[in-house]
């Protein structure tokens, strides 16, 4: 087992960002995704982001080269083999996660800790498909993962103290502050944040302008982004999945997802990543108008 190697499974928005955060801290990271397209997109995103940082002066060419040298990509899950830590960041569907965990359990060293970046699915349920449920826990990053300082730690029913301490120590090495979040839907942040975004979507559905809702929260509460802008930023599908998880998990109508979100996802309006959300975006991701 290589004590400096981390495997990040999934090269989407979250997986790609988590891989960057680990590579920046000096870990050797392999970012695994079975879809070639996802890998190509992840590489292009990193290139664009880092070039902008170099232009801006917040990163030198030398630092860029060093971080990139720690970050590799693979289409083969077997490449997670000798990692001391595996971080799963695949789509938020329990069946997909269980399938990946079953495979990782066979591939990874028996001592390897495997964490899920799920934003609200049951860690105990995911762990139940492995032969090492004590070495499984939740480590929930926030978007954009290289920037956001928080890591929510979520223990399953049988996560061992040793696993918890390994992940807590790892969090420190990549400069994250941890909180212990309960194993309930939405954990801690999303249980508070996502209902606010959902309520904001209801207001747009009832006729408020997205800009007004966003300005209200930015100027009235000093939020760095308004709730509608944030929903487009994180992805409307991701946000809807979390809200649906709260609704189904607590069996409480106060968490009912806004129907407008469901319609937008069906229409393929997924936010910034698809170019269309509450707002419209150009190919560079700049906001160019509103859809409501
Ligand atoms: N990936 C990596 N880095 C990014 C990034 C991205 N997608 N977007 C911005 N950054 C970096 C920039 O490179 C820049 O780094 P630098 O200082 O080294 O140059 C830094 O962030 C600041 O970026 P900008 O100057 O372009 O922009 P802002 O100062 O406006 O900050 C922001 C951007 C950090 C995204 C800020 O608007 C913010 O904090 N927004 C709120 C984000 C938030 O609430 N996240 C939580 C979402 S909920 C969630 O994640 C739950 C999950 O389950 C989905």
């Amino acid at each position: 087992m290589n004590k400096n190697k981390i495997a990040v499974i999934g090269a989407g928005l979250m997986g790609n960002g988590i891989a960057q955060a680990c590579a920046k801290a000096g870990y050797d990271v392999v970012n695994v995704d079975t879809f070639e397209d996802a890998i190509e997109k992840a590489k292009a995103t990193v290139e664009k982001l880092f070039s902008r940082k170099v232009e801006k002066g917040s990163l030198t060419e030398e630092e860029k080269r060093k971080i990139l040298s720690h970050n590799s990509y693979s289409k083969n899950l077997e490449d997670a083999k000798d990692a001391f830590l595996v971080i799963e960041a695949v789509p938020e569907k329990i069946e997909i996660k269980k399938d990946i965990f079953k495979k990782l359990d066979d591939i990874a060293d028996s001592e390897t800790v495997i964490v899920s970046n799920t934003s609200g699915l049951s860690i105990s349920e995911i762990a139940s498909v492995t032969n090492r449920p004590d070495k499984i826990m939740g480590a929930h990053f926030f978007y954009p993962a290289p920037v956001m300082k928080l890591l929510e730690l979520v223990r399953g029913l049988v996560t061992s103290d040793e696993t918890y301490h390994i992940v807590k120590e790892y969090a420190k090495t990549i400069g994250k502050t941890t909180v212990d979040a309960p194993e309930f839907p939405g954990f801690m942040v999303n249980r508070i944040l996502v209902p606010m975004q959902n309520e904001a979507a209801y207001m747009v559905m009832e006729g408020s302008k997205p800009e007004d809702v966003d300005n209200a929260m930015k100027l009235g509460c000093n939020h760095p982004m308004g709730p509608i802008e944030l929903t487009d930023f994180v992805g409307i599908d991701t946000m809807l999945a979390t809200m649906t998880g709260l609704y189904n998990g607590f069996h409480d109508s106060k968490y009912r997802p806004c129907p407008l979100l469901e319609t937008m996802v069906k229409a393929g309006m997924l936010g910034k990543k698809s170019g269309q959300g509450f707002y419209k975006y150009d190919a560079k991701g700049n906001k160019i108008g509103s859809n409501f």
Side-chain angles (χ1 to χ4, degrees):
M1 192 163 73
N2 179 343
K3 290 274 187 192
N4 199 50
K5 178 173 170 182
I6 294 179
V8 178
I9 316 302
L13 284 183
M14 291 307 293
N16 181 19
I18 295 167
Q20 278 176 57
C22 297
K24 193 173 168 205
Y27 287 108
D28 292 318
V29 186
V30 58
N31 192 186
V32 182
D33 201 302
T34 47
F35 293 100
E36 185 69 40
D37 279 4
I39 292 179
E40 290 311 315
K41 207 167 168 192
K43 284 181 183 168
T45 304
V46 173
E47 186 51 46
K48 198 166 105 186
L49 189 77
F50 281 18
S51 300
R52 210 181 303 145
K53 279 176 185 281
V54 171
E55 265 170 39
K56 202 173 128 186
S58 62
L59 191 76
T60 64
E61 271 295 345
E62 173 60 17
E63 286 163 337
K64 174 181 166 184
R65 199 196 49 73
K66 198 164 167 202
I67 298 171
L68 292 179
S69 74
H70 282 286
N71 199 2
S72 64
Y73 296 90
S74 167
K75 278 177 68 183
N76 190 355
L77 209 55
E78 292 281 337
D79 286 332
K81 200 176 189 160
D82 51 345
F84 83 98
L85 176 67
V86 179
I87 304 172
E88 167 276 311
V90 302
E92 202 61 0
K93 300 247 166 37
I94 192 75
E95 292 315 323
I96 300 180
K97 300 225 185 236
K98 281 180 169 175
D99 181 52
I100 292 282
F101 270 76
K102 239 189 247 169
K103 289 178 178 149
L104 286 171
D105 192 34
D106 288 340
I107 292 167
D109 188 284
S110 60
E111 289 306 305
T112 296
V113 165
I114 313 176
V115 298
S116 174
N117 176 54
T118 176
S119 57
L121 297 174
S122 163
I123 300 301
S124 300
E125 186 176 352
I126 293 170
S128 73
V129 300
T130 71
N131 293 310
R132 62 177 93 195
D134 56 318
K135 295 191 172 61
I136 309 286
M137 66 180 278
H140 181 213
F141 290 80
F142 292 84
Y143 183 68
V147 181
M148 305 304 281
K149 297 212 176 336
L150 183 67
L151 188 62
E152 281 184 332
L153 301 184
V154 189
R155 295 177 69 149
L157 288 176
V158 296
T159 303
S160 69
D161 288 347
E162 193 190 352
T163 298
Y164 170 80
H165 289 298
I166 288 171
V167 180
K168 201 173 162 80
E169 275 310 304
Y170 150 75
K172 262 192 223 162
T173 64
I174 60 163
K176 303 291 184 204
T177 298
T178 56
V179 291
D180 295 335
E183 195 198 13
F184 289 123
F187 302 142
M188 197 169 267
V189 172
N190 278 349
R191 185 162 158 194
I192 300 168
L193 176 72
V194 176
M196 180 192 69
Q197 291 173 267
N198 194 54
E199 202 58 35
Y202 269 110
M203 295 183 81
V204 173
M205 192 174 84
E206 289 158 7
S208 294
K209 287 200 171 64
E211 296 88 340
D212 285 344
V213 178
D214 282 338
N215 279 336
M217 296 309 288
K218 283 196 282 195
L219 305 179
C221 298
N222 255 3
H223 286 193
M225 276 182 172
I228 295 293
E229 201 181 1
L230 182 62
T231 302
D232 269 4
F233 186 60
V234 170
I236 296 177
D237 51 341
T238 303
M239 193 241 147
L240 177 62
T242 307
M243 198 65 207
T244 306
L246 287 170
Y247 183 61
N248 293 335
F250 286 110
H251 308 290
D252 189 332
S253 63
K254 78 176 174 181
Y255 296 116
R256 68 201 183 288
C258 171
L260 177 59
L261 295 170
E262 291 173 337
T263 308
M264 289 175 77
V265 170
K266 283 179 192 155
M269 296 168 76
L270 306 182
K272 199 171 171 179
K273 64 186 170 188
S274 73
Q276 294 289 339
F278 287 95
Y279 297 103
K280 301 174 188 182
Y281 301 87
D282 66 15
K284 287 189 173 162
N286 299 313
K287 211 186 275 176
I288 51 170
S290 169
N291 279 312
F292 296 94

